[in-house]
Amino acid sequence: MLAFKPKPSSLRSTFSGTALRSPPRLYGVPVLLSFSRTTRSRPLVRAVISDDKAVETAKTSPLNQKHSNGSSDSSSKQVKAVVTIKKKMKENITEKIENKWEMLMNGIGRGILIQLISEEIDPVTNSGKSVEACVRGWLPKPPEHDNILQYVADFTVPSDFGRPGAVLITNQHAKEFHLLEIVVQDFDGVPIYFSANTWIHSRNDNPESRIIFRNQAYLPSQTPPGIKDLRREDLLSICGNGKGERMPHERIYDYDVYNDLGKPDKDKDLARPVLGGEERPYPRRCRTGRPASKIDPLCESRIEKPHPVYVPRDEAFEEIKQDTFSAGRLKALLHNLVPLMAATLSSSDIPFTCFSEIDKLYNDGFILKDDEQRKLGDNLFIGNMMKQVLNVGQKLLKYEIPAVIRKDRFSWLRDNEFARQALAGVNPVNIEILKEFPILSKLDPAIYGPPESVITKELIEQELHGMSVDKALEEKRLFMVDFHDMLLPFIKRINNLPGRKSYASRTVFFYTKTGILRPIAIELSLPPTPSSNRNKYVYTHGHDATTYWIWKLAKAHVCANDAGVHQLANHWLRTHACMEPYIIATHRQLSSMHPIYKLLHPHMRYTLEINALARQSLINGGGIIEASFSPGKYAMELSAAAYESWRFDREALPADLIHRGMAVEDPSAPGGLKLLIEDYPYAADGLLIWSAIKEWVESYVEHFYTEPDSVTSDVELQAWWSEIKNRGHHDKRNEPWWPKLATKEDLSGILTTMIWTASGQHAAINFGQYPFGGYMPNRPTLMRKLIPQETDPDFEKFMQNPQRTFLSSLPTQLQATKIMAVQDTLSTHSPDEEYLGKMNEFHSSWINDHKVLQMFDQFAAKLGEIEEIINERNKDMRLKNRTGAGIPPYELLLPSSGPGVTGRGIPNSISI
């Protein structure tokens, strides 16, 4: 067992109190902590904080020549450190007064203490040499950034000090501040950067200093001796001990199950099962440590808006993001907009009765009364897709026309558009090749009936105009979107919910020789009942009016299923939820000076915060997702069911395409894959992005791991991968498909998959939500009626007015408007979005490695070339799924974007 005596400055508050539930693990090894004080001497601290006279005396006193080894060295030099701090852009009067006081305290040396730690060992203390100073004096504000402040600290450094490798920073103010970076100048003529971009807690909250390392990447074995202990200490300080409730100022990363979605203390109907564990496997989330529910001790008590859910301090939204999302958008929706919509539209939630009522949402909007307008205030949605118009004392909410119908209002009616969206829509990841007949279910026939589909060869051949099914299979022309086995176990419970009617669906498509995909058969299944063995219905296009309307209803049911699977499995589970354990493990096991931490850091931004907000208001019991999608209260159970078939190795884009039969390996093809449908925009553009990420990652890994055993000997890296498998995805820990981590190739593959998931994959399935789903008939999120059969009492009503039957089957006016607002919000890029291949100006000194910066520039240039290729593809008239009359171009995987709902742009991370 590893045992050492860490400096208590980072550990005391984290591990104080009751005995540890289990010892923290560093590099996968339990650590025995001893808490005798071994603080480095700080000869200047008392002089600095006593009074100004003492400060001036300290500068000239012989004591100033004493350092951590207690010796005096007349051979020394003066070194300046520039400290850059970011303050809020919008401050109230109290905050302005507080900031003026803090500026004064910093200016006179009573606000921030800094200790420089050398990379070299002091033989007396057996730790890194150190010198200490206070921040004093101001530098002029950068003219382009009013919210950036810079201060100076002056150090007297002995000539044998060596290169600084870390700084310890102590915040003596009453509140935290945001440190961007520290630059040590006049040190061998080369500035030394300590990139931070972190919140420095007040010593009132935690008396311990923060450790910031310089921007040099080191593998664990390469760590300079003077900062080795600090490297271990910093990692331990953020691991936590699995006990107690986390406080807002903390930066503790730990794991927990999803036991905070329900509200059993408020309403038994809002109780929800725990996700994570043997019964319902699920990825782990970031632990908050709130007390248990009073009614169900297995569940965590809820914290409701506007109170924030804990995330480690540096994971929280920055101010611009808060303004865009939290205050200006989601809070407006959840606090004000939805109840006001309910009051405005109707006291009884009514369906649309004609298509013109839907059109009015875009053409006319709907009016909010004066008193409602005052309640909304400045929190109303403002953006591309939903505009705020002031008109004669009334607020008018007006949605922008979604891209899918902007150029062709009737495109959604056509079969080819229905099929096109399986390849180029917001959920292009479920279509697969049909390999054999008959189509068989894998569910238990004793419970769910005969496994054979009622889509027969004879039925399909009627739609193939002379081609046999065997020939179509041989030529790889039959494809399928199959939700049957995933949904059928839930259908009975869903259909017992008020206002919900669903089927388990299968859709078969035929890929014509002219390159057009068209749907030829839809199977809709219900669970068998003792009174009826007929639980499967099959529909084809037909040519008479009755069959045509029934076909439209069948397609709508497929779209509702697709919307639910997209949101709960492909979007939330496979990107948001599965990324969270990677992020937690990265912070817990990889030092911030580890090269893989530096590589992954941009791809972790805001994800824990957006996931916490989702647990609070979107995926929670009674939340927006349950209210707006078919599975209702069973939504997250369906998500957990989808996790049962999740595999890390298939989250790589090439592996996913091969698994679905949409591509085959072909060494002669670009990227080594040949698509079965060349005009598959998601896959074609995605492979370009995947290849660029892969090339960048491989060159980066090759640069740092130069020895044959350098991957296996990296203790932090091996602990990181072990923790992802054994704790982050604990319920999948024994699966044989987890990739090994033994070679550079293994590591590159793992990292490419993670970065693709956070960037390209999430962009492809998130930012098209409003462009495709903003017009409810195109993509209903739930259906409220089953398709009328000839023996049903409502069949005559359908025959008399099929349009009314169709519209009354879709979400109601309130449901539709609510989900449109949510989709608008979730499709929005924040003004501070950081895109793939771009570097934030404040993070430009992220690594001190010219070769790496050159490789990153090459990656950025490659993405620029890809953007040009995609733009050219969108002009190629041979590609019918992205060009043509009224067809919107496929832009979801264009790397760049501006703010707002643009239907394009790949952020580095899952930030919305």
Side-chain angles (χ1 to χ4, degrees):
M1 179 177 288
L2 176 65
F4 69 95
K5 296 182 179 180
K7 177 176 175 288
S9 62
S10 308
L11 298 174
R12 188 175 69 233
S13 64
T14 303
F15 297 107
S16 61
T18 57
L20 301 181
R21 179 183 301 171
S22 59
R25 304 178 75 87
L26 185 64
Y27 315 145
V29 179
V31 179
L32 179 63
L33 300 175
S34 174
F35 293 105
S36 62
R37 293 192 65 85
T38 56
T39 53
R40 298 175 179 84
S41 63
R42 294 190 177 187
L44 299 182
V45 173
R46 286 185 171 80
V48 167
I49 65 175
S50 58
D51 55 42
D52 288 349
K53 183 177 179 180
V55 172
E56 295 303 318
T57 303
K59 288 184 175 181
T60 57
S61 168
L63 285 174
N64 201 39
Q65 306 302 318
K66 291 187 177 183
H67 308 285
S68 62
N69 59 5
S71 64
S72 177
D73 185 356
S74 59
S75 176
S76 59
K77 56 186 175 183
Q78 295 298 311
V79 172
K80 184 187 300 292
V82 177
V83 180
T84 304
I85 292 172
K86 182 167 68 172
K87 65 184 186 69
K88 288 181 67 175
M89 292 180 290
K90 299 177 182 178
E91 299 174 328
N92 58 37
I93 296 298
T94 302
E95 290 170 333
K96 288 181 179 179
I97 294 172
E98 290 175 344
N99 283 334
K100 293 296 183 185
W101 177 253
E102 289 176 4
M103 288 174 64
L104 175 63
M105 291 297 99
N106 287 339
I108 64 175
R110 295 189 177 186
I112 303 172
L113 299 178
I114 299 179
Q115 190 174 2
L116 286 185
I117 309 297
S118 172
E119 292 182 343
E120 297 182 5
I121 286 285
D122 185 326
V124 176
T125 65
N126 202 32
S127 59
K129 300 175 183 178
S130 65
V131 293
E132 198 169 64
C134 60
V135 167
R136 291 182 60 88
W138 306 271
L139 292 177
K141 289 182 182 179
E144 67 275 18
H145 298 294
D146 290 338
N147 64 320
I148 301 299
L149 301 176
Q150 291 185 320
Y151 301 97
V152 176
D154 294 309
F155 295 87
T156 301
V157 180
S159 58
D160 63 348
F161 184 77
R163 182 177 291 273
V167 298
L168 304 184
I169 185 163
T170 304
N171 174 13
Q172 299 187 115
H173 296 298
K175 65 178 186 178
E176 65 185 2
F177 66 84
H178 192 267
L179 176 67
L180 283 178
E181 68 175 6
I182 298 173
V183 182
V184 178
Q185 301 174 345
D186 309 318
F187 218 105
D188 298 331
V190 179
I192 300 174
Y193 291 89
F194 295 81
S195 296
N197 193 34
T198 185
W199 289 95
I200 306 297
H201 59 259
S202 166
R203 68 176 183 180
N204 295 348
D205 292 323
N206 181 352
E208 319 306 351
S209 303
R210 277 291 306 280
I211 303 170
I212 308 293
F213 297 105
R214 81 181 181 98
N215 66 339
Q216 183 67 46
Y218 291 113
L219 296 175
S221 61
Q222 300 167 340
T223 311
I227 57 175
K228 272 189 176 181
D229 285 351
L230 289 180
R231 181 171 186 148
R232 291 193 295 266
E233 190 175 319
D234 188 49
L235 279 176
L236 279 171
S237 73
I238 62 177
C239 283
N241 60 12
K243 296 180 72 68
E245 184 173 358
R246 299 272 62 94
M247 296 293 105
H249 67 273
E250 294 179 324
R251 46 193 291 268
I252 304 297
Y253 295 79
D254 207 348
Y255 299 95
D256 208 343
V257 294
Y258 280 73
N259 60 355
D260 62 341
L261 301 180
K263 306 177 187 178
D265 291 346
K266 180 178 180 181
D267 185 340
K268 66 178 182 180
D269 289 335
L270 294 177
R272 297 293 181 267
V274 174
L275 303 186
E278 186 175 342
E279 185 176 355
R280 293 181 181 86
Y282 213 64
R284 297 307 189 255
R285 64 170 175 91
C286 185
R287 182 183 177 276
T288 62
R290 295 193 302 272
S293 160
K294 296 176 182 178
I295 292 179
D296 185 352
L298 296 179
C299 290
E300 190 172 82
S301 58
R302 294 274 302 170
I303 185 168
E304 303 297 347
K305 53 190 183 295
H307 304 292
V309 177
Y310 168 82
V311 292
R313 185 63 185 95
D314 289 338
E315 304 298 328
F317 288 164
E318 295 180 23
E319 187 179 2
I320 293 176
K321 182 73 170 181
Q322 288 174 349
D323 287 346
T324 302
F325 183 85
S326 298
R329 292 183 174 274
L330 189 61
K331 286 184 180 177
L333 172 69
L334 300 176
H335 293 206
N336 304 314
L337 188 56
V338 169
L340 287 176
M341 283 178 180
T344 300
L345 291 171
S346 177
S347 57
S348 60
D349 195 9
I350 59 174
F352 295 105
T353 58
C354 60
F355 286 99
S356 60
E357 290 180 345
I358 301 176
D359 294 340
K360 284 181 179 180
L361 294 174
Y362 316 106
N363 300 332
D364 301 333
F366 60 90
I367 293 173
L368 297 178
K369 302 171 186 176
D370 290 346
D371 59 335
E372 295 166 346
Q373 170 189 161
R374 286 192 294 271
K375 291 178 186 177
L376 282 173
D378 294 331
N379 280 339
L380 211 57
F381 279 13
I382 303 172
N384 255 1
M385 294 302 172
M386 189 165 59
K387 298 177 179 177
Q388 192 174 216
V389 180
L390 188 61
N391 181 22
V392 198
Q394 295 178 322
K395 292 276 182 171
L396 186 67
L397 283 181
K398 184 177 179 181
Y399 290 84
E400 188 167 307
I401 298 174
V404 71
I405 60 164
R406 190 175 302 151
K407 298 178 181 178
D408 183 351
R409 185 61 63 95
F410 304 105
S411 63
W412 67 277
L413 290 167
R414 293 194 295 270
D415 284 355
N416 63 340
E417 178 61 20
F418 174 80
R420 188 187 75 85
Q421 291 182 32
L423 299 169
V426 71
N427 188 40
V429 297
N430 282 111
I431 188 169
E432 59 184 317
I433 194 166
L434 184 57
K435 296 179 180 178
E436 58 187 11
F437 253 81
I439 303 171
L440 298 175
S441 168
K442 296 179 181 178
L443 297 176
D444 185 351
I447 300 174
Y448 299 105
E452 293 84 7
S453 167
V454 294
I455 300 177
T456 62
K457 280 189 176 183
E458 293 74 21
L459 185 145
I460 287 184
E461 286 174 350
Q462 290 176 15
E463 303 295 321
L464 299 187
H465 306 299
M467 180 180 285
S468 69
V469 167
D470 291 337
K471 184 68 171 176
L473 290 172
E474 180 185 341
E475 294 185 3
K476 295 181 170 54
R477 294 192 176 278
L478 291 176
F479 296 85
M480 178 171 60
V481 172
D482 188 356
F483 299 132
H484 180 276
D485 286 7
M486 181 188 296
L487 295 180
L488 192 58
F490 290 89
I491 294 299
K492 182 177 180 180
R493 286 182 288 167
I494 291 172
N495 288 350
N496 285 331
L497 296 173
R500 296 288 202 282
K501 295 299 177 187
S502 291
Y503 301 91
S505 62
R506 285 191 183 104
T507 308
V508 176
F509 301 86
F510 178 65
Y511 184 54
T512 70
K513 293 183 178 180
T514 58
I516 300 297
L517 190 71
R518 62 182 182 89
I520 58 175
I522 293 173
E523 180 186 58
L524 301 178
S525 299
L526 296 170
T529 64
S531 60
S532 174
N533 292 325
R534 189 178 181 223
N535 65 318
K536 299 178 181 180
Y537 306 88
V538 64
Y539 301 96
T540 57
H541 178 84
H543 300 285
D544 63 275
T546 303
T547 307
Y548 174 76
W549 274 104
I550 289 177
W551 174 247
K552 282 209 318 185
L553 283 166
K555 288 195 297 182
H557 273 280
V558 172
C559 288
N561 287 345
D562 192 79
V565 172
H566 161 259
Q567 197 67 260
L568 297 166
N570 299 330
H571 180 209
W572 167 258
L573 170 65
R574 291 177 59 188
T575 62
H576 285 260
C578 286
M579 274 299 300
E580 187 152 342
Y582 312 153
I583 294 168
I584 297 171
T586 299
H587 284 283
R588 287 168 53 90
Q589 297 297 342
L590 298 182
S591 167
S592 60
M593 69 175 81
H594 197 291
I596 301 307
Y597 177 94
K598 291 183 177 294
L599 175 69
L600 289 177
H601 187 261
H603 306 290
M604 303 188 290
R605 184 176 186 239
Y606 291 158
T607 303
L608 296 191
E609 171 82 338
I610 196 66
N611 286 3
L613 285 168
R615 296 199 314 273
Q616 186 178 44
S617 302
L618 290 177
I619 64 172
N620 59 301
I624 297 292
I625 298 301
E626 287 192 0
S628 304
F629 289 83
S630 288
K633 64 185 292 185
Y634 306 108
M636 291 306 292
E637 290 184 60
L638 177 62
S639 183
Y643 182 62
E644 293 181 10
S645 60
W646 177 87
R647 292 176 50 153
F648 180 87
D649 58 330
R650 289 180 183 165
E651 294 304 294
L653 178 60
D656 173 57
L657 293 171
I658 291 171
H659 171 68
R660 291 190 283 121
M662 299 303 293
V664 293
E665 293 187 66
D666 183 351
S668 65
L673 282 187
K674 179 181 178 182
L675 295 175
L676 267 65
I677 298 177
E678 181 183 355
D679 187 12
Y680 185 2
Y682 159 77
D685 295 357
L687 286 171
L688 294 177
I689 301 296
W690 169 272
S691 297
I693 295 171
K694 182 172 181 284
E695 184 178 333
W696 153 238
V697 169
E698 286 177 344
S699 62
Y700 187 95
V701 168
E702 181 71 32
H703 178 71
F704 286 102
Y705 291 88
T706 56
E707 302 299 325
D709 64 344
S710 52
V711 170
T712 55
S713 63
D714 185 336
V715 292
E716 287 183 8
L717 188 72
Q718 293 298 325
W720 167 78
W721 186 233
S722 175
E723 184 164 294
I724 286 172
K725 295 182 294 183
N726 292 303
R727 294 200 63 187
H729 287 273
H730 178 78
D731 303 323
K732 297 279 189 178
R733 64 193 181 281
N734 296 321
E735 296 288 354
W737 41 253
W738 284 104
K740 297 185 183 303
L741 182 53
T743 67
K744 290 179 286 188
E745 292 74 21
D746 295 339
L747 177 58
S748 295
I750 290 167
L751 294 172
T752 301
T753 297
M754 290 180 178
I755 293 173
W756 160 254
T757 300
S759 58
Q761 178 71 358
H762 181 257
I765 61 177
N766 180 74
F767 292 104
Q769 290 194 71
Y770 186 85
F772 286 97
Y775 187 67
M776 189 57 65
N778 178 68
R779 191 172 175 78
T781 56
L782 61 86
M783 295 294 282
R784 301 191 304 126
K785 294 182 179 181
L786 298 177
I787 296 176
Q789 304 299 315
E790 292 185 11
T791 57
D792 294 343
D794 288 339
F795 189 76
E796 185 59 32
K797 293 180 181 179
F798 162 70
M799 294 295 289
Q800 293 298 321
N801 194 336
Q803 175 178 288
R804 184 178 289 271
T805 298
F806 180 84
L807 289 173
S808 64
S809 299
L810 301 182
T812 64
Q813 294 190 31
L814 177 59
Q815 288 171 331
T817 314
K818 184 190 299 185
I819 195 60
M820 287 165 67
V822 173
Q823 289 171 334
D824 179 32
T825 301
L826 299 182
S827 301
T828 298
H829 290 295
S830 171
D832 72 337
E833 196 81 87
E834 295 180 4
Y835 295 96
L836 195 64
K838 304 294 183 183
M839 186 59 63
N840 186 304
E841 60 179 315
F842 296 125
H843 309 157
S844 57
S845 302
W846 65 284
I847 194 167
N848 180 34
D849 193 314
H850 180 68
K851 177 63 175 176
V852 169
L853 294 176
Q854 274 188 327
M855 292 188 295
F856 183 80
D857 288 342
Q858 292 169 359
F859 173 53
K862 182 68 173 179
L863 291 173
E865 295 172 6
I866 290 171
E867 187 149 321
E868 293 180 7
I869 292 172
I870 294 174
N871 284 329
E872 288 303 312
R873 286 176 173 175
N874 286 332
K875 299 174 185 176
D876 188 342
M877 295 304 294
R878 295 171 300 174
L879 303 176
K880 306 299 183 184
N881 290 323
R882 59 202 312 159
T883 60
I887 299 294
Y890 187 79
E891 297 182 327
L892 289 170
L893 286 169
L894 281 173
S896 68
S897 177
V901 182
T902 62
R904 59 177 288 168
I906 305 177
N908 275 321
S909 62
I910 300 169
S911 58
I912 189 68

